[in-house]
Amino acid sequence: MTQSAVVPGEPTVELTLALRVSTDSEHAAAIAARLLESFEDTVGVTLTSRTVQADSGQVIELAGRRRRFGESAPPLRIEPDSRRVLLCGEVLQFTKLEFDLLLFLSRNPDRAFDRLTLMARVWGLSGGNGRTVDVHIRKIRGKLEPVLAPITTVRGVGYRFDGAGQVFIAD
């Protein structure tokens, strides 16, 4: 796979990556596409060539998501399996409760949730003081701001995630 980009006034850079993965031919293209998308999201580059060459010599042009040149990955990346949160490529430290709350809200954008519903659906708690949610929201905001402010307070209700276009959930 080769990535090249021409930017006026900048030298042209070409990078070739080689990765050997053993799988059956039926799943090779899907695996390669997922690897390339993960690479683009993690490194923050856009690949101009999306081809894979199999050991048989067959060259496969991969379809799938493509960003316009110069368009970058969303600033917030949530990795549920590894329980990591990255903001502009930097790993942030989240407690279990903060991570679970951020992940739930980001998976349910543009919906307002009251505090007790969040406690029940995110942490499995019934009853209690809804102010616990306020504390965790404040801590999450403190880690994301001033770069990003995706969580909105809905007065008299609770909270809403308004940053759907600013987050990538790596499921």
Side-chain angles (χ1 to χ4, degrees), residues 26-85:
E26 181 180 328
H27 296 101
I31 290 170
R34 286 196 309 265
L35 285 169
L36 290 173
E37 287 179 5
S38 293
F39 179 81
E40 287 178 325
D41 291 333
T42 302
V43 179
V45 298
T46 301
L47 302 175
T48 57
S49 173
R50 295 175 60 89
T51 59
V52 175
Q53 183 171 2
D55 285 341
S56 65
Q58 177 188 14
V59 176
I60 304 167
E61 175 68 29
L62 298 174
R65 157 191 88 166
R66 291 185 187 223
R67 291 190 195 101
R68 290 183 300 264
F69 183 73
E71 185 180 348
S72 61
L76 183 63
R77 178 183 175 90
I78 302 173
E79 299 176 349
D81 291 341
S82 63
R83 299 190 63 83
R84 289 193 320 169
V85 176

Side-chain angles (χ1 to χ4, degrees), residues 85-159:
V85 176
L86 291 90
L87 181 62
C88 299
E90 298 290 323
V91 176
L92 302 177
Q93 299 301 314
F94 278 77
T95 66
K96 179 187 182 319
L97 297 179
E98 293 166 356
F99 182 89
D100 292 342
L101 182 56
L102 177 63
L103 182 61
F104 177 82
L105 287 170
S106 65
R107 282 188 168 156
N108 295 281
D110 304 319
R111 290 186 55 199
F113 293 95
D114 64 68
R115 292 165 180 84
L116 295 179
T117 299
L118 288 170
M119 290 177 68
R121 293 194 50 196
V122 176
W123 302 318
L125 302 174
S126 58
N129 184 350
R131 296 298 173 198
T132 301
V133 174
D134 297 343
V135 170
H136 291 290
I137 291 289
R138 186 177 70 243
K139 289 180 178 182
I140 292 168
R141 285 176 170 161
K143 293 174 184 184
L144 299 178
E145 293 174 353
V147 175
L148 199 60
I151 300 173
T152 301
T153 300
V154 181
R155 299 231 183 267
V157 178
Y159 298 98

